[in-house]
Amino acid sequence: MSQEPRITPTDLKTYTNRHDTFNQPVDCLFDIYNGDTGDVLNDYNATTTAVQAFLDKAIQNNKRVRFLGGGWSFTKVAATEGWIVNTKGLNMLLTIGPNSIAPQYNGDKNQLLFVQCGNSIQELDNYLQANKKSLKTQAASNGQTLIGAVATGTHGASIDVGGIQDYVVGLHIVVSPDKHIWLERASHPVVSDSFIAGLKTQLIRDDELFNAALVSFGSFGFIHGAMIETDPIYLLEGYRILIPFDDKLKQVMNTLDFSNAGFLPCGTERPFHFQVVVNQYDIAAGAYITIMYKRPYTSDHKPPVIDLSKAGPGDDLPTFLGKFTDAISAITPFIVSKVVKSQYATYSKLMGTLGEIFTNTEVRGQVMSAAVGIPINYMNQVNDILMKVNGTDGPFVGIFSYRYVKGSKATLAFTKFDNTCVMELDAVKSAGTDKFYAAVWKEMDAAGIPYTFHWGKINSLDATNLPKMYDPGRASWIKARNTLLPPESLKLFNNQLLTDWGLDGAS
């Protein structure tokens, strides 16, 4: 490896995301790599300097810039027509010594980890497990980069933890060619003056600015690194069961009150992870429930055997929905039910670490995915709407999935409700799926149901409906962006989606 960091152009003039839902023409796609002098801090700082020079060149050439993570988003949230930089080569991991931690930090100092932006969730899982630690939660797909997942508000399904962004406690952001900052909450200071001096950066402690910058889709600048809080290593005890879709289950779906559920494998114990999957073509067969409990780590556990021909214990539905065909309406129910039965296997008392359970890095076939945040007390009403729309605007070539997650502090997190249910509508890519989505949003609007869209999945966000979903947070987010970025950087880090959403302008 070169001693100096490298930002090298490729021959690619089109960016295609991992799920193949769009092709974005670009002026140039670049790869970036750290240098290797043997001094980790020096190499990290050299990359910061190289990025600043790159941003200056982009401004001089009137180019917009976006830094790309795992390419997992279904939307053009990370895309631009200008210059896109692939960050997967920036994968330093730095443990934090006591001299780098603020005296007033009130967390577990041994659980802090500084993560460079290109690290994937899988890389973090591997590193942490080797060091007897774990992420607090993650999504079903671990091919995402940490920063990419944070920037789009990726949620997971840990009902009392929150999304990935909720264990990030510090951000190192290059905001312009001549300025980079360390941003953290004033209510939760983390790093010391010596840490700031080591990065040669400027410390800003501000809750409102930090909460805005978390879910910001790459529009607040180049997030070079993040400080995260991890947990001591633990196991998950997992079950997937098929139970009647009855009033007991519906009560839990609307309340997350498990005291009278009666169907849980560990009695009334509150799960760590809870998900409901409904096959609308075979309601009589029941619903699939995935439940996981947090358990102490033991080194003699037997991790699950991953069978790539089927959905794994922690997989989300796009991992196998590509096996569907966009079939004619008459046989859709048969196809959906057959594939669900063959691919979505039940299991009992499966033990594994977070990284052993949630292992998916594959994309199987062309799929579409929408994820919608909804207050949990509306869930039975929402499921009724889905069943109705499937009859009027279907058939939907997919199934209905509900994941539950604690509300996020991030200003534009789509999991903004105190207890959020994420309704996931994963299906075959087709015009029929688009039609179904549009009909569902229309029915939910007519019913007065509050909801938000996952920024990185299929949605109908625009400048008209976004204020309804996110005010007053939207105005706070725009103000924070204008506070942190100079005018030339506001333009530099804009893209078409930001304009479409009405988030690109001055406060």
Side-chain angles (χ1 to χ4, degrees):
M1 180 178 288
S2 170
Q3 285 196 333
E4 299 298 324
R6 292 172 292 132
I7 305 178
T8 57
T10 71
D11 295 329
L12 296 176
K13 297 295 183 181
T14 302
Y15 162 59
T16 302
N17 65 331
R18 287 284 297 273
H19 292 90
D20 197 24
T21 55
F22 67 84
N23 295 300
Q24 171 68 51
V26 297
D27 290 334
C28 190
L29 194 147
F30 297 81
D31 291 326
I32 183 171
Y33 301 96
N34 295 310
D36 185 11
T37 65
D39 183 325
V40 173
L41 181 59
N42 178 71
D43 291 337
Y44 180 90
N45 288 340
T47 298
T48 299
T49 301
V51 167
Q52 289 186 287
F54 180 83
L55 297 181
D56 183 61
K57 184 178 180 181
I59 291 173
Q60 299 306 316
N61 286 273
N62 196 31
K63 301 294 184 183
R64 291 179 174 179
V65 173
R66 278 296 161 117
F67 290 86
L68 176 67
W72 214 263
S73 290
F74 289 79
T75 67
K76 293 185 177 182
V77 64
T80 180
E81 75 288 347
W83 291 352
I84 295 182
V85 184
N86 168 30
T87 65
K88 292 297 288 295
L90 303 182
N91 57 356
M92 293 182 181
L93 291 168
L94 304 173
T95 53
I96 302 303
N99 291 337
S100 295
I101 302 173
Q104 60 270 47
Y105 176 65
N106 59 11
D108 186 342
K109 297 178 181 179
N110 295 320
Q111 297 299 327
L112 288 172
L113 180 67
F114 185 49
V115 180
Q116 198 178 21
C117 60
N119 277 281
S120 69
I121 300 297
Q122 182 183 34
E123 287 173 311
L124 287 172
D125 283 336
N126 294 342
Y127 173 85
L128 289 170
Q129 183 162 335
N131 289 275
K132 304 302 181 191
K133 297 179 182 181
S134 174
L135 295 174
K136 291 179 180 289
T137 186
Q138 67 185 62
S141 304
N142 64 5
Q144 302 155 315
T145 61
L146 175 80
I147 296 303
V150 169
T152 53
T154 301
H155 51 94
S158 303
I159 62 178
D160 295 319
V161 176
I164 292 178
Q165 71 275 2
D166 293 304
Y167 50 80
V168 174
V169 292
L171 295 170
H172 181 216
I173 312 176
V174 180
V175 296
S176 73
D178 55 8
K179 184 179 181 181
H180 55 99
I181 63 172
W182 181 266
L183 183 61
E184 60 186 34
R185 292 186 179 97
S187 62
H188 191 56
V190 180
V191 302
S192 67
D193 292 341
S194 64
F195 178 90
I196 296 300
L199 261 58
K200 303 177 183 178
T201 191
Q202 174 187 342
L203 173 63
I204 298 177
R205 286 188 174 132
D206 186 292
D207 285 37
E208 187 173 358
L209 295 179
F210 182 80
N211 290 339
L214 282 171
V215 178
S216 55
F217 353 105
S219 66
F220 270 51
F222 169 57
I223 299 180
H224 190 185
M227 190 78 77
I228 65 172
E229 293 178 327
T230 67
D231 277 348
I233 193 169
Y234 57 88
L235 293 178
L236 293 177
E237 179 183 327
Y239 302 80
R240 183 180 292 142
I241 58 178
L242 185 61
I243 66 170
F245 191 58
D246 58 14
D247 289 343
K248 283 188 176 181
L249 175 55
K250 291 178 180 179
Q251 172 69 10
V252 172
M253 290 174 64
N254 249 38
T255 64
L256 285 185
D257 178 0
F258 300 95
S259 59
N260 295 308
F263 55 78
L264 295 179
C266 296
T268 59
E269 179 182 355
R270 188 171 177 83
F272 173 84
H273 171 113
F274 182 68
Q275 177 185 14
V276 180
V277 168
V278 177
N279 175 6
Q280 67 275 23
Y281 300 113
D282 196 4
I283 294 294
Y288 289 90
I289 315 298
T290 303
I291 315 104
M292 298 183 190
Y293 302 92
K294 201 170 182 179
R295 299 291 186 240
Y297 178 78
T298 59
S299 59
D300 60 350
H301 74 281
K302 294 182 178 180
V305 176
I306 303 302
D307 180 357
L308 294 180
S309 68
K310 296 182 179 180
D315 280 356
D316 53 2
L317 301 183
T319 60
F320 70 91
L321 286 181
K323 295 176 181 290
F324 289 158
T325 61
D326 188 16
I328 60 173
S329 299
I331 62 172
T332 292
F334 169 77
I335 291 174
V336 171
S337 296
K338 182 177 180 180
V339 174
V340 170
K341 288 178 181 178
S342 66
Q343 297 295 316
Y344 207 57
T346 58
Y347 56 83
S348 179
K349 205 168 184 178
L350 183 150
M351 306 294 288
T353 64
L354 192 70
E356 291 167 346
I357 296 289
F358 298 98
T359 60
N360 173 51
T361 57
E362 299 296 321
V363 180
R364 305 171 196 172
Q366 287 195 334
V367 295
M368 296 176 69
S369 180
V372 184
I374 302 165
I376 62 172
N377 54 300
Y378 287 93
M379 287 323 301
N380 288 320
Q381 187 178 353
V382 167
N383 190 74
D384 289 343
I385 286 174
L386 292 180
M387 297 297 294
K388 172 187 173 183
V389 173
N390 191 55
T392 59
D393 292 85
F396 181 61
V397 190
I399 46 184
F400 308 148
S401 174
Y402 307 107
R403 291 174 178 255
Y404 291 80
V405 62
K406 180 182 177 182
S408 175
K409 292 181 180 179
T411 307
L412 288 189
F414 87 102
T415 51
K416 72 171 196 173
F417 308 107
D418 289 343
N419 289 294
T420 300
C421 180
V422 180
M423 173 183 70
E424 296 179 315
L425 299 176
D426 301 318
V428 169
K429 182 181 178 182
S430 72
T433 299
D434 282 328
K435 176 187 175 185
F436 181 84
Y437 286 162
V440 171
W441 317 150
K442 182 178 179 181
E443 287 288 334
M444 289 175 63
D445 285 333
I449 296 173
Y451 64 95
T452 56
F453 285 116
H454 190 308
W455 302 95
K457 294 195 174 185
I458 305 300
N459 61 65
S460 64
L461 282 168
D462 57 34
T464 301
N465 63 22
L466 195 142
K468 179 181 69 174
M469 295 182 184
Y470 288 102
D471 277 351
R474 180 185 65 95
S476 175
W477 189 92
I478 294 173
K479 179 182 177 182
R481 186 168 182 262
N482 279 264
T483 299
L484 292 175
L485 272 63
E488 64 270 19
S489 292
L490 291 174
K491 179 181 178 182
L492 178 68
F493 293 111
N494 271 345
N495 69 357
Q496 187 58 50
L497 266 190
L498 210 65
T499 300
D500 293 344
W501 292 339
L503 295 173
D504 63 330
S507 56

